[in-house]
Protein backbone atom coordinates (compact mmCIF):
# COMPACT_ATOMS: atom_id res chain seq x y z
CA UNK A 1 0.00 0.00 0.00
CA UNK A 2 1.14 3.53 -0.73
CA UNK A 3 2.57 5.46 2.20
CA UNK A 4 1.06 8.78 3.25
CA UNK A 5 3.22 11.77 4.16
CA UNK A 6 2.27 15.14 5.65
CA UNK A 7 4.61 18.00 4.82
CA UNK A 8 4.51 21.50 6.28
CA UNK A 9 6.48 24.19 4.48
CA UNK A 10 7.23 26.85 7.07
CA UNK A 11 6.24 30.43 6.38
CA UNK A 12 9.74 31.60 7.37
CA UNK A 13 11.21 29.76 4.41
CA UNK A 14 8.58 30.65 1.85
CA UNK A 15 8.36 34.37 2.53
CA UNK A 16 10.63 37.33 2.95
CA UNK A 17 10.51 38.64 6.51
CA UNK A 18 12.04 41.99 5.66
CA UNK A 19 9.38 42.81 3.10
CA UNK A 20 5.90 41.78 4.32
CA UNK A 21 3.82 40.18 1.58
CA UNK A 22 6.68 38.97 -0.62
CA UNK A 23 7.20 35.33 -1.44
CA UNK A 24 10.48 33.55 -2.13
CA UNK A 25 9.21 31.98 -5.34
CA UNK A 26 12.50 30.31 -6.22
CA UNK A 27 12.61 28.53 -2.86
CA UNK A 28 8.98 27.48 -3.22
CA UNK A 29 9.71 26.07 -6.70
CA UNK A 30 12.85 24.28 -5.50
CA UNK A 31 11.04 22.64 -2.58
CA UNK A 32 8.15 21.56 -4.78
CA UNK A 33 10.65 20.21 -7.32
CA UNK A 34 12.13 18.06 -4.54
CA UNK A 35 8.63 16.71 -3.88
CA UNK A 36 8.10 16.10 -7.60
CA UNK A 37 11.42 14.27 -7.97
CA UNK A 38 10.80 12.11 -4.88
CA UNK A 39 7.30 11.30 -6.06
CA UNK A 40 8.38 10.14 -9.50
CA UNK A 41 8.36 6.49 -8.40
CA UNK A 42 4.89 7.04 -6.87
CA UNK A 43 5.52 5.20 -3.62
CA UNK A 44 3.77 7.77 -1.46
CA UNK A 45 0.82 10.15 -1.33
CA UNK A 46 1.40 13.54 0.21
CA UNK A 47 -0.67 16.28 1.84
CA UNK A 48 1.15 19.63 1.94
CA UNK A 49 0.46 22.57 4.21
CA UNK A 50 2.16 25.94 4.42
CA UNK A 51 2.52 28.64 7.02
CA UNK A 52 1.45 32.24 6.53
CA UNK A 53 4.88 33.83 7.07
CA UNK A 54 5.18 37.54 6.40
CA UNK A 55 1.81 37.48 4.59
CA UNK A 56 -0.47 36.36 7.44
CA UNK A 57 1.39 36.95 10.70
CA UNK A 58 1.62 40.78 10.61
CA UNK A 59 -2.16 41.37 10.06
CA UNK A 60 -3.00 38.56 12.55
CA UNK A 61 -0.93 40.39 15.14
CA UNK A 62 -2.18 43.87 14.20
CA UNK A 63 -5.85 42.87 14.45
CA UNK A 64 -5.30 40.61 17.51
CA UNK A 65 -6.96 37.63 15.83
CA UNK A 66 -5.85 35.31 18.64
CA UNK A 67 -8.19 37.23 20.95
CA UNK A 68 -11.19 36.41 18.76
CA UNK A 69 -13.99 38.84 17.90
CA UNK A 70 -13.26 41.21 20.76
CA UNK A 71 -12.82 44.54 19.03
CA UNK A 72 -14.66 46.74 16.54
CA UNK A 73 -11.95 45.94 13.98
CA UNK A 74 -11.87 42.16 14.59
CA UNK A 75 -14.12 41.12 11.70
CA UNK A 76 -12.33 43.35 9.21
CA UNK A 77 -9.01 42.04 10.56
CA UNK A 78 -10.09 38.40 10.23
CA UNK A 79 -10.91 38.94 6.55
CA UNK A 80 -7.67 40.82 5.86
CA UNK A 81 -5.64 38.07 7.58
CA UNK A 82 -7.44 35.29 5.69
CA UNK A 83 -6.89 37.15 2.41
CA UNK A 84 -3.18 37.49 3.13
CA UNK A 85 -2.84 33.75 3.78
CA UNK A 86 -4.84 33.03 0.63
CA UNK A 87 -2.59 35.31 -1.41
CA UNK A 88 0.45 33.21 -0.46
CA UNK A 89 -1.59 30.05 -1.10
CA UNK A 90 -2.31 31.20 -4.68
CA UNK A 91 1.41 31.76 -5.25
CA UNK A 92 2.27 28.26 -3.94
CA UNK A 93 -0.39 26.67 -6.18
CA UNK A 94 0.98 28.53 -9.22
CA UNK A 95 4.58 27.58 -8.49
CA UNK A 96 3.35 23.97 -8.21
CA UNK A 97 1.86 24.19 -11.69
CA UNK A 98 5.21 25.39 -13.03
CA UNK A 99 7.12 22.36 -11.70
CA UNK A 100 4.40 19.75 -12.22
CA UNK A 101 3.04 19.32 -8.70
CA UNK A 102 -0.76 19.40 -8.90
CA UNK A 103 -1.63 21.16 -5.65
CA UNK A 104 -5.35 21.34 -4.98
CA UNK A 105 -6.05 24.03 -2.35
CA UNK A 106 -8.34 23.52 0.64
CA UNK A 107 -8.73 26.60 2.83
CA UNK A 108 -9.32 25.58 6.48
CA UNK A 109 -11.56 28.67 6.83
CA UNK A 110 -14.15 26.94 4.64
CA UNK A 111 -14.43 23.83 6.79
CA UNK A 112 -16.80 24.84 9.55
CA UNK A 113 -16.49 25.77 13.17
CA UNK A 114 -13.38 25.03 15.19
CA UNK A 115 -13.07 25.02 18.92
CA UNK A 116 -9.89 23.90 20.61
CA UNK A 117 -8.96 21.24 18.14
CA UNK A 118 -11.64 20.38 15.65
CA UNK A 119 -12.86 20.90 12.15
CA UNK A 120 -15.69 19.26 10.30
CA UNK A 121 -15.24 15.78 8.90
CA UNK A 122 -15.97 17.12 5.42
CA UNK A 123 -12.40 18.39 5.36
CA UNK A 124 -11.12 14.82 5.67
CA UNK A 125 -13.64 13.63 3.07
CA UNK A 126 -12.51 16.22 0.52
CA UNK A 127 -8.82 15.70 1.15
CA UNK A 128 -9.10 11.90 0.90
CA UNK A 129 -10.95 12.22 -2.40
CA UNK A 130 -8.41 14.67 -3.78
CA UNK A 131 -5.67 12.12 -2.95
CA UNK A 132 -7.61 9.32 -4.66
CA UNK A 133 -8.03 11.55 -7.70
CA UNK A 134 -4.28 12.08 -7.97
CA UNK A 135 -4.01 15.61 -6.57
CA UNK A 136 -1.69 16.86 -3.86
CA UNK A 137 -4.07 18.47 -1.33
CA UNK A 138 -2.76 21.80 -0.06
CA UNK A 139 -3.87 23.38 3.24
CA UNK A 140 -2.51 26.43 5.04
CA UNK A 141 -2.53 28.36 8.29
CA UNK A 142 -5.81 30.28 8.30
CA UNK A 143 -8.41 32.22 10.25
CA UNK A 144 -11.28 29.89 11.18
CA UNK A 145 -14.65 30.25 12.86
CA UNK A 146 -14.37 29.39 16.54
CA UNK A 147 -17.30 28.28 18.69
CA UNK A 148 -15.96 30.10 21.76
CA UNK A 149 -13.98 33.14 20.59
CA UNK A 150 -15.75 33.84 17.32
CA UNK A 151 -12.60 33.44 15.22
CA UNK A 152 -9.16 31.99 15.88
CA UNK A 153 -5.97 31.07 14.09
CA UNK A 154 -5.54 27.48 12.93
CA UNK A 155 -1.86 26.87 12.25
CA UNK A 156 -0.95 24.21 9.68
CA UNK A 157 0.20 22.02 12.58
CA UNK A 158 -3.31 22.33 14.08
CA UNK A 159 -4.88 21.41 10.76
CA UNK A 160 -2.55 18.39 10.48
CA UNK A 161 -3.35 17.45 14.05
CA UNK A 162 -7.06 17.40 13.20
CA UNK A 163 -6.40 15.33 10.07
CA UNK A 164 -4.41 12.74 12.07
CA UNK A 165 -7.60 11.90 13.97
CA UNK A 166 -8.79 10.38 10.70
CA UNK A 167 -5.74 9.78 8.50
CA UNK A 168 -2.58 7.93 9.50
CA UNK A 169 0.51 9.46 7.91
CA UNK A 170 3.76 7.44 7.96
CA UNK A 171 5.89 10.58 8.03
CA UNK A 172 5.09 14.08 9.29
CA UNK A 173 7.68 16.57 8.09
CA UNK A 174 8.04 20.14 9.32
CA UNK A 175 10.33 22.08 7.00
CA UNK A 176 11.64 25.27 8.60
CA UNK A 177 14.65 27.62 8.54
CA UNK A 178 16.97 25.86 11.03
CA UNK A 179 18.65 22.42 10.80
CA UNK A 180 16.29 20.88 13.36
CA UNK A 181 15.78 21.25 17.08
CA UNK A 182 18.68 22.54 19.19
CA UNK A 183 19.30 22.80 22.93
CA UNK A 184 18.64 26.55 22.55
CA UNK A 185 17.60 28.85 19.71
CA UNK A 186 20.58 28.48 17.29
CA UNK A 187 19.88 31.93 15.83
CA UNK A 188 20.65 33.51 19.19
CA UNK A 189 22.90 31.05 20.99
CA UNK A 190 25.89 29.91 18.91
CA UNK A 191 26.74 27.20 21.46
CA UNK A 192 23.34 25.52 20.96
CA UNK A 193 23.70 21.81 20.26
CA UNK A 194 21.81 19.91 17.60
CA UNK A 195 19.33 17.29 18.87
CA UNK A 196 19.31 14.32 16.48
CA UNK A 197 16.43 12.36 18.01
CA UNK A 198 13.49 13.33 20.20
CA UNK A 199 11.51 10.58 21.91
CA UNK A 200 9.75 9.81 25.18
CA UNK A 201 13.05 9.96 27.05
CA UNK A 202 14.07 13.52 26.15
CA UNK A 203 10.83 15.20 25.04
CA UNK A 204 10.41 17.22 28.25
CA UNK A 205 13.92 18.69 27.98
CA UNK A 206 13.43 19.25 24.25
CA UNK A 207 10.26 21.23 24.90
CA UNK A 208 12.03 23.39 27.47
CA UNK A 209 14.71 24.28 24.94
CA UNK A 210 12.27 25.09 22.14
CA UNK A 211 11.40 28.77 22.13
CA UNK A 212 9.61 31.25 19.98
CA UNK A 213 10.41 32.46 16.50
CA UNK A 214 12.40 35.66 16.03
CA UNK A 215 9.87 36.93 13.52
CA UNK A 216 6.31 38.14 13.99
CA UNK A 217 4.66 34.80 14.78
CA UNK A 218 1.19 34.28 16.16
CA UNK A 219 1.31 30.48 16.32
CA UNK A 220 3.93 29.81 18.98
CA UNK A 221 7.24 29.21 17.14
CA UNK A 222 9.37 26.11 17.72
CA UNK A 223 7.83 25.22 21.07
CA UNK A 224 4.32 24.61 19.77
CA UNK A 225 5.78 22.96 16.65
CA UNK A 226 7.66 20.33 18.68
CA UNK A 227 4.76 19.78 21.07
CA UNK A 228 2.16 19.23 18.35
CA UNK A 229 4.56 17.12 16.27
CA UNK A 230 5.33 14.83 19.22
CA UNK A 231 1.62 14.51 20.05
CA UNK A 232 0.80 13.57 16.44
CA UNK A 233 3.65 11.04 16.34
CA UNK A 234 2.44 9.46 19.58
CA UNK A 235 -1.15 9.32 18.40
CA UNK A 236 -0.43 7.82 14.97
CA UNK A 237 2.82 5.86 15.34
CA UNK A 238 4.31 7.91 12.52
CA UNK A 239 7.83 9.35 12.43
CA UNK A 240 8.25 13.11 12.68
CA UNK A 241 10.99 15.22 11.09
CA UNK A 242 12.16 18.81 11.56
CA UNK A 243 14.32 19.82 8.60
CA UNK A 244 15.97 22.89 7.16
CA UNK A 245 14.10 23.77 3.98
CA UNK A 246 16.73 26.35 3.01
CA UNK A 247 19.31 23.61 2.44
CA UNK A 248 18.98 21.94 -0.95
CA UNK A 249 18.14 18.22 -0.97
CA UNK A 250 17.38 17.70 2.72
CA UNK A 251 13.62 17.52 2.21
CA UNK A 252 14.19 15.15 -0.72
CA UNK A 253 16.33 12.89 1.51
CA UNK A 254 13.49 12.48 4.00
CA UNK A 255 10.93 11.83 1.27
CA UNK A 256 13.03 9.02 -0.22
CA UNK A 257 14.30 7.71 3.14
CA UNK A 258 17.96 8.73 2.92
CA UNK A 259 20.10 9.95 5.81
CA UNK A 260 20.85 13.68 6.00
CA UNK A 261 20.80 16.44 8.62
CA UNK A 262 17.41 16.63 10.38
CA UNK A 263 15.83 16.01 13.77
CA UNK A 264 13.80 12.81 14.01
CA UNK A 265 10.80 12.63 16.36
CA UNK A 266 9.69 9.20 17.56
CA UNK A 267 7.31 7.94 20.19
P1 LIG B 1 8.28 28.29 10.42
O1 LIG B 1 7.83 29.67 10.03
O2 LIG B 1 9.31 27.71 9.50
O3 LIG B 1 7.16 27.34 10.68
P2 LIG B 1 9.12 29.42 13.00
O4 LIG B 1 9.81 30.68 12.56
O5 LIG B 1 7.78 29.52 13.63
O6 LIG B 1 9.11 28.39 11.78
O7 LIG B 1 10.06 28.58 13.99
C1 LIG B 1 11.41 28.34 13.66
C2 LIG B 1 12.27 29.22 14.55
O8 LIG B 1 12.24 28.72 15.89
C3 LIG B 1 13.74 29.24 14.22
O9 LIG B 1 14.04 30.13 13.18
C4 LIG B 1 14.36 29.69 15.56
O10 LIG B 1 14.54 31.09 15.56
C5 LIG B 1 13.28 29.35 16.59
N1 LIG B 1 13.72 28.47 17.70
C6 LIG B 1 13.49 28.73 19.02
N2 LIG B 1 14.02 27.78 19.82
C7 LIG B 1 14.63 26.87 18.99
C8 LIG B 1 15.35 25.66 19.23
N3 LIG B 1 15.57 25.19 20.48
N4 LIG B 1 15.84 24.97 18.15
C9 LIG B 1 15.62 25.43 16.89
N5 LIG B 1 14.92 26.58 16.60
C10 LIG B 1 14.43 27.31 17.63
Amino acid sequence: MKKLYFLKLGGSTLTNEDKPGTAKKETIRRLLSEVRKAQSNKTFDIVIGHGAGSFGHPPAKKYKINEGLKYSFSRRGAIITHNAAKELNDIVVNEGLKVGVNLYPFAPSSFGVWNNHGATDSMVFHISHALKNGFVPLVHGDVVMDSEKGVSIASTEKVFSFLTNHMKPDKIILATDVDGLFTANPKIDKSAKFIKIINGRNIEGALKSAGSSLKVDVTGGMHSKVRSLYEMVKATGSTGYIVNANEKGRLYSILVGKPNIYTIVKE
Side-chain angles (χ1 to χ4, degrees), residues 208-224:
K208 278 195 194 110
S209 67
S212 59
S213 170
L214 298 182
K215 293 130 268 175
V216 180
D217 180 5
V218 292
T219 55
M222 190 52 90
H223 186 88
S224 60

Side-chain angles (χ1 to χ4, degrees), residues 11-264:
S12 310
T13 316
L14 307 189
T15 68
N16 196 328
E17 342 155 13
D18 305 325
K19 272 205 223 149
T22 47
K24 293 184 191 160
K25 290 188 181 174
E26 257 178 50
T27 306
I28 297 172
R29 271 203 301 280
R30 198 244 315 143
L31 287 164
L32 293 174
S33 300
E34 291 189 25
V35 172
R36 174 92 180 94
K37 196 172 138 204
Q39 242 196 340
S40 58
N41 52 2
K42 305 232 182 311
T43 56
F44 63 88
D45 278 332
I46 189 162
V47 176
I48 301 182
H50 65 82
S54 71
F55 282 71
H57 288 281
K61 188 169 184 224
K62 178 175 172 191
Y63 296 105
K64 304 180 196 292
I65 304 302
N66 268 332
E67 295 181 37
L69 292 176
K70 208 166 155 187
Y71 306 99
S72 59
F73 54 74
S74 296
R75 287 177 182 79
R76 182 181 161 74
I79 297 163
I80 291 171
T81 306
H82 164 74
N83 267 354
K86 192 78 198 97
E87 206 182 312
L88 176 60
N89 187 251
D90 285 346
I91 293 172
V92 176
V93 171
N94 276 318
E95 295 309 312
L97 288 174
K98 287 181 195 159
V99 298
V101 179
N102 294 315
L103 299 164
Y104 200 93
F106 293 96
S109 55
S110 302
F111 286 96
V113 176
W114 291 55
N115 41 42
N116 285 331
H117 37 226
T120 58
D121 292 350
S122 73
M123 186 173 201
V124 180
F125 176 81
H126 281 90
I127 286 178
S128 304
H129 273 268
L131 282 172
K132 270 190 210 128
N133 292 338
F135 292 99
V136 174
L138 181 71
V139 295
H140 59 86
D142 207 350
V143 181
V144 291
M145 294 301 129
D146 184 295
S147 54
E148 281 150 32
K149 294 195 286 184
V151 293
S152 61
I153 301 279
S155 64
T156 303
E157 287 85 352
K158 257 195 188 169
V159 176
F160 278 180
S161 164
F162 168 72
L163 292 176
T164 54
N165 292 329
H166 306 264
M167 304 169 92
K168 298 285 165 252
D170 298 277
K171 295 183 183 182
I172 304 171
I173 307 160
L174 303 185
T176 183
D177 66 345
V178 284
D179 287 348
L181 186 72
F182 288 74
T183 52
N185 187 340
K187 294 210 166 159
I188 300 172
D189 185 345
K190 294 296 160 209
S191 65
K193 291 199 174 53
F194 180 65
I195 304 173
K196 177 90 192 125
I197 294 184
I198 303 171
N199 56 28
R201 283 193 295 279
N202 64 353
I203 180 67
E204 289 308 324
L207 280 172
K208 278 195 194 110
S209 67
S212 59
S213 170
L214 298 182
K215 293 130 268 175
V216 180
D217 180 5
V218 292
T219 55
M222 190 52 90
H223 186 88
S224 60
K225 235 183 276 302
V226 174
R227 195 168 29 126
S228 59
L229 183 57
Y230 183 68
E231 276 165 15
M232 285 191 273
V233 162
K234 240 172 64 174
T236 58
S238 60
T239 305
Y241 300 83
I242 303 170
V243 62
N244 195 339
N246 288 328
E247 297 292 336
K248 280 188 191 138
R250 290 195 191 169
L251 170 63
Y252 175 78
S253 294
I254 296 174
L255 294 171
V256 298
K258 287 202 174 134
N260 207 324
I261 298 169
Y262 41 74
T263 294
I264 297 174

